[in-house]
Amino acid sequence: MFRYDKGEEEGRMRSNVHAKAFAGLFDSVFQMLGPDIDFIQEILRQAGSRHKAMGVSPSFFPYMGQALIYALEKFLGKELDEDQRDAWEQVFKAISTEIVKTVKQNFRFREKK
């Protein structure tokens, strides 16, 4: 997914770029919470279009959610309580559901040869 076949350094660089984009998307959504849900949905559709163009399978998104929770647990440790964990899971589900809607539109899975 992050082109690790190009070498460890290239893979690390690409995954860092994706992590920053992922955090930026969350930041944008949080900053725009309020009455203009249409604008947030448009941003998420654009993210879906980018993922679709890169051939990202909708099946990848649950793994990203698991990675988010894992990172929060590692970073926050015992400070992350069950309510906070549930809230983050709900936020990720809401965001990823909107993105996946766009990814699934006319999505054709690449056949492995």
Side-chain angles (χ1 to χ4, degrees):
M1 179 162 56
F2 297 116
R3 300 183 187 213
Y4 287 109
D5 59 326
K6 301 287 183 182
E8 185 177 337
E9 187 174 327
E10 178 77 11
R12 187 175 299 117
M13 182 196 69
R14 289 181 182 270
S15 64
N16 285 341
V17 167
H18 187 259
K20 288 178 184 177
F22 183 70
L25 177 64
F26 269 68
D27 183 54
S28 294
V29 169
F30 290 145
Q31 287 187 35
M32 287 181 266
L33 287 175
D36 195 4
I37 193 73
D38 293 335
F39 187 60
I40 294 171
Q41 287 176 322
E42 179 57 31
I43 288 172
L44 297 175
R45 280 191 288 271
Q46 289 174 10
S49 293
R50 288 191 302 274
H51 283 79
K52 183 177 174 178
M54 292 184 286
V56 175
S57 169
S59 65
F60 293 171
F61 286 84
Y63 298 110
M64 192 66 183
Q66 292 171 4
L68 170 65
I69 298 303
Y70 177 81
L72 289 168
E73 289 172 343
K74 289 296 179 186
F75 183 73
L76 297 172
K78 293 181 181 184
E79 291 181 40
L80 181 70
D81 65 30
E82 200 60 37
D83 289 340
Q84 292 169 337
R85 179 190 167 112
D86 290 345
W88 276 105
E89 287 173 345
Q90 289 175 26
V91 167
F92 179 80
K93 183 177 180 181
I95 290 172
S96 64
T97 296
E98 286 300 314
I99 293 171
V100 167
K101 282 181 191 176
T102 302
V103 173
K104 283 185 174 179
Q105 291 174 357
N106 301 317
F107 188 85
R108 294 192 179 126
F109 295 93
R110 297 179 192 167
E111 292 184 27
K112 293 182 180 180
K113 295 181 180 183

